[in-house]
Amino acid sequence: DQQVKQNSPSLSVQEGRISILNCDYTNSMFDYFLWYKKYPAEGPTFLISISSIKDKNEDGRFTVFLNKSAKHLSLHIVPSQPGDSAVYFCAARLVTSGTYKYIFGTGTRLKVLA
Amino acid sequence: DAEITQSPRHKITETGRQVTLACHQTWNHNNMFWYRQDLGHGLRLIHYSYGVQDTNKGEVSDGYSVSRSNTEDLPLTLESAASSQTSVYFCASSESRRQKETQYFGPGTRLLVL
């Protein structure tokens, strides 16, 4: 049972245009959401996050939107740059009985074309 | 600079052998995690630890064990390696359970079980 889903395994975008990566989740108890970026042969690196009590968080070219009623999360990259080409994972945090863990999506491979 | 390292980066072993993957962080973080990454599954949590002498099972813990004897290290042991454990393994650490805590990932260990 995949609680966090990234239904698009890959996405290609022209340099300078907007990249929109999507993530859907099923568990309404998630309280915190994060996006990670991963280059080949490296570990994921944190990109941006959002609390479940907010609907938008912006950091430079990166904006994350949260639609709780639709259980949908999206990452917008504007403008897209070739260096943004990577695999992007969304993750959701679940806190239960004082412990917490992160559930990751399967990833979306973004290719920004020069 | 603080960092998180994993060794070895690549490992080939045979079915039935015991294998230990090392993870060392100099962030002085309390929390440490082990994930495996497989196609179609994203990152899945194997074990995690909130501090010295504390260990907890994640969603795919069968066949794996960890121990936490100090703050810096969380070795992952495969008791009797199986071909299904061929994967890329990532270690991560984080500071606390605060709202904005994020995980810092190591570069990964690619394990092949023949």
Side-chain angles (χ1 to χ4, degrees), chain A:
Chain A
D1 178 30
Q2 191 74 23
Q3 296 188 67
V4 178
K5 298 179 184 179
Q6 293 178 257
N7 292 317
S8 298
S10 64
L11 174 69
S12 291
V13 173
Q14 284 294 132
E15 181 179 6
R17 306 295 292 268
I18 183 171
S19 294
I20 300 176
L21 293 91
N22 294 304
C23 181
D24 296 298
Y25 62 94
T26 58
N27 194 332
S28 58
M29 299 303 292
F30 290 141
D31 72 333
Y32 195 55
F33 301 89
L34 308 93
W35 284 94
Y36 284 85
K37 178 178 179 179
K38 184 184 179 305
Y39 291 118
E42 295 183 10
T45 55
F46 170 74
L47 192 57
I48 192 169
S49 63
I50 187 167
S51 165
S52 61
I53 62 174
K54 302 200 171 183
D55 55 20
K56 177 182 175 181
N57 188 27
E58 193 172 350
D59 184 3
R61 296 186 298 113
F62 302 93
T63 303
V64 56
F65 295 92
L66 176 61
N67 183 333
K68 286 187 69 177
S69 61
K71 294 189 175 67
H72 180 79
L73 188 71
S74 63
L75 174 68
H76 291 211
I77 306 173
V78 183
S80 301
Q81 299 174 354
D84 296 328
S85 297
V87 176
Y88 290 79
F89 291 97
C90 68
R93 188 174 78 171
L94 183 65
V95 181
T96 53
S97 304
T99 68
Y100 70 101
K101 55 185 176 182
Y102 291 88
I103 314 293
F104 284 79
T106 52
T108 296
R109 183 179 301 277
L110 173 66
K111 188 171 184 179
V112 180
L113 306 170

Side-chain angles (χ1 to χ4, degrees), chain B:
Chain B
D1 288 344
E3 60 178 356
I4 179 166
T5 57
Q6 293 182 234
S7 62
R9 294 294 311 276
H10 302 272
K11 174 77 177 177
I12 300 174
T13 191
E14 295 176 343
T15 302
R17 289 191 180 264
Q18 184 181 78
V19 177
T20 296
L21 309 183
C23 175
H24 179 80
Q25 53 100 0
T26 58
W27 293 99
N28 199 34
H29 286 162
N30 287 325
N31 309 328
M32 295 184 74
F33 309 82
W34 274 104
Y35 294 89
R36 58 178 289 175
Q37 183 193 5
D38 305 285
L39 277 175
H41 290 282
L43 290 156
R44 292 183 291 174
L45 183 63
I46 306 171
H47 282 286
Y48 57 103
S49 167
Y50 291 148
V52 176
Q53 303 301 331
D54 176 76
T55 60
N56 306 278
K57 293 182 179 180
E59 60 179 310
V60 290
S61 60
D62 287 350
Y64 303 94
S65 64
V66 293
S67 61
R68 187 89 181 270
S69 58
N70 59 53
T71 300
E72 296 79 18
D73 299 288
L74 186 71
L76 177 72
T77 297
L78 286 68
E79 304 295 343
S80 176
S83 58
S84 60
Q85 294 176 308
T86 292
S87 186
V88 181
Y89 291 85
F90 290 100
C91 179
S93 71
S94 66
E95 183 174 354
S96 72
R97 309 180 199 191
R98 295 177 305 178
Q99 181 69 24
K100 293 187 177 181
E101 62 93 13
T102 61
Q103 296 180 328
Y104 295 85
F105 283 83
T109 293
R110 188 173 294 272
L111 177 67
L112 175 61
V113 182
L114 299 174

